[in-house]
Amino acid sequence: MNPFDLLGGLGRAVLAMLATFGQVALFAFNAISHIFRPPFYPREFIVALMNIGWLSLPVVGLTAIFTGGALALQIYAGGARFNAEAVVPQIVAIGMVRELGPVLVGLMIAARVTSSIAAEIATMKVTEQIDALVTLSTHPMKYLTAPRVLAALITVPVLVGIGDIIGIAGGYVVATQNLGFNAAAYLQNTVNFLEPHDVFSSLVKGAAFGLIAAIMGCYYGMNSGRGAQGVGRATKSSVESAAIMILAANFVLTGVFFSL
Amino acid sequence: MIRMENVHKAFGDNPVLQGMSLEIPKGTSMVIIGGSGTGKSVALKCVLGLIKPDSGMIYVDGKDAKKGDRDAFLARFGMLFQGAALFDSLPVWQNVAFRLLRGPLKRPPEYAREIAIEKLRRVGLKSDVADRFPSELSGGMQKRVGLARAIAAEPEIIFFDEPTTGLDPIMSGVINDLIREIVTEMGATAMTITHDMSSVRAIADNVAMLHGGVIQWTGPVGQMDASGDPYVEQFISGSAEGPIEAVR
Ligand SMILES: Nc1ncnc2c1ncn2[C@@H]1O[C@H](COP(=O)(O)OP(=O)(O)O)[C@@H](O)[C@H]1O
Ligand SMILES: [Mg+2]
């Protein structure tokens, strides 16, 4: 193969990626600006709050409790190698609040919320419902995007906070029931060790991940191709890119909060 | 009045409109006929600004449709989409009264519901469909709900994309009469796409035939049968023989 072809192909791929990135950034900016500009659609916002926040609680709770429990077991076993079993409460707390809580909740939201937003909006696009909205003098970015983005921005940090608490509770149950920790001492250690900064970083990550999850769902939905295949592609791409962007944002935010 | 001048639109390497020009005087009913896939729906969407033409001009009442206040522009239009395009998350009556439940035309919900039920009756639907969801209706019923939604806010300009496709002959007759009534009684300007020649005769003041991306023939409905245009003649007779290829 001609090396220039390869180079050309690579160049095109990079350009295409940059173009997509630019479009997403523009879309995100647009989506956020519509949150602040009337008309507002309170009914759609309440429905979005229910779908994104309330109905995600079971998934978030289950994810957190199993992860917290497993974390306690791992740290106990790992800590035993250098006689440091006692650090279980501290490491579970810091691991859940700083990293696993936000990341796992973010990924579950990408799976649950991003996919459903993308599929719903893409179907609306494919069946001309978006065009119909426009002809009924309703701006799709205000009616569809803004309520979902705002709802995710508000509810995902709350979900992360709840996930953190349930995760710690999972660790607590395993540590006190199976590993012989004293209940009061475990809680004391957890509370004493965590700093407000840890909790704050957790919630900020939640807000960022919520924003990413909703915006990627809306972006791919609005830009869906035609037919059932278009809807399938839009859904797949939205979850893929939301998950990757959440992980990348997590890395950046962790750097900002804890190494600067 | 609506005027399209030399409108071009291609999707990738598929040239759809290739210099379409058409004029629809205020308060008249224009029917567009033409084979499926010739770009009739695309033409309507270009006028509404849902699709951007590659080139050419579209004027509504002498003003460039691209310029000016978009909300005010769209508020004058009603559109029935080919696939009805009902909002499947909302019950039928909220679809019909969509404009009356939010935005500048907002009315109390009880009043909006009454209007919705009245419009549903006009398209031959009983009031018990009002609380059903679009997915629970047959295709022909969805189409009529779409029609009710298009006329609910009594727009000045109404586009109907295949209003009678999928309806039985009696229901088609009801819808044809309704469209005619809206034009003569409310003085609306209508643009209707149809393949149904009995609809054409019932609805149209003027007829235009779209073929090959341009208006092949246009004239008053009374002259359609003696148009002398081989494309129009073939379309009316439904013959496989003629200038329009049967395989497209
Ligand atoms: N959004 C779109 N993207 C790509 N191609 C389109 C789009 N809309 C319509 N087309 C193409 O334009 C042509 C005309 O379509 P349409 O206007 O729906 O035909 P009809 O005259 O039957 O209403 C078809 O070949 C169709 O595939
Ligand atoms: Mg069509």
Side-chain angles (χ1 to χ4, degrees), chain A residues 226, chain B residues 11 14 16 35-42 82:
Chain A
R226 308 176 80 197
Chain B
F11 292 101
N14 174 17
V16 179
S36 45
T38 49
K40 303 181 298 297
S41 300
V42 169
Q82 189 169 350

Side-chain angles (χ1 to χ4, degrees), chain B residues 72-166:
Chain B
F73 176 80
L74 286 169
R76 304 175 59 194
F77 283 87
M79 164 95 183
L80 164 64
F81 286 85
Q82 189 169 350
L86 301 178
F87 304 123
D88 38 33
S89 57
L90 301 177
V92 163
W93 79 268
Q94 290 187 20
N95 265 280
V96 176
F98 192 87
R99 266 209 163 116
L100 306 175
L101 289 168
R102 43 183 78 67
L105 295 176
K106 192 166 170 169
R107 299 282 182 279
E110 312 78 53
Y111 175 78
R113 191 184 154 90
E114 253 171 55
I115 300 272
I117 288 175
E118 186 229 312
K119 299 293 173 187
L120 286 170
R121 194 167 299 126
R122 289 197 71 183
V123 296
L125 289 169
K126 292 206 210 100
S127 58
D128 63 338
V129 299
D131 292 307
R132 289 207 247 159
F133 280 88
S135 58
E136 298 166 341
L137 305 181
S138 75
M141 290 164 92
Q142 290 182 9
K143 204 70 190 252
R144 286 183 281 154
V145 175
L147 187 60
R149 183 175 71 184
I151 62 172
E154 312 201 335
E156 295 165 54
I157 305 167
I158 318 189
F159 292 172
F160 303 102
D161 197 342
E162 305 197 10
T164 57
T165 308

Side-chain angles (χ1 to χ4, degrees), chain A residues 111-143:
Chain A
R112 197 183 167 276
V113 172
T114 307
S115 62
S116 92
I117 291 178
E120 185 181 1
I121 295 183
T123 304
M124 290 186 73
K125 162 115 184 186
V126 167
T127 56
E128 299 182 317
Q129 291 179 53
I130 306 261
D131 284 343
L133 270 184
V134 174
T135 63
L136 294 166
S137 311
T138 304
H139 199 308
M141 292 292 277
K142 291 187 193 300
Y143 182 75

Side-chain angles (χ1 to χ4, degrees), chain A residues 27-61:
Chain A
F27 183 88
F29 179 78
N30 214 340
I32 293 168
S33 79
H34 279 294
I35 294 176
F36 301 101
R37 285 185 286 156
F40 305 114
Y41 295 100
R43 266 197 43 167
E44 279 62 36
F45 174 62
I46 290 168
V47 171
L49 278 182
M50 291 297 286
N51 282 335
I52 298 174
W54 182 245
L55 296 177
S56 294
L57 275 174
V59 161
V60 164

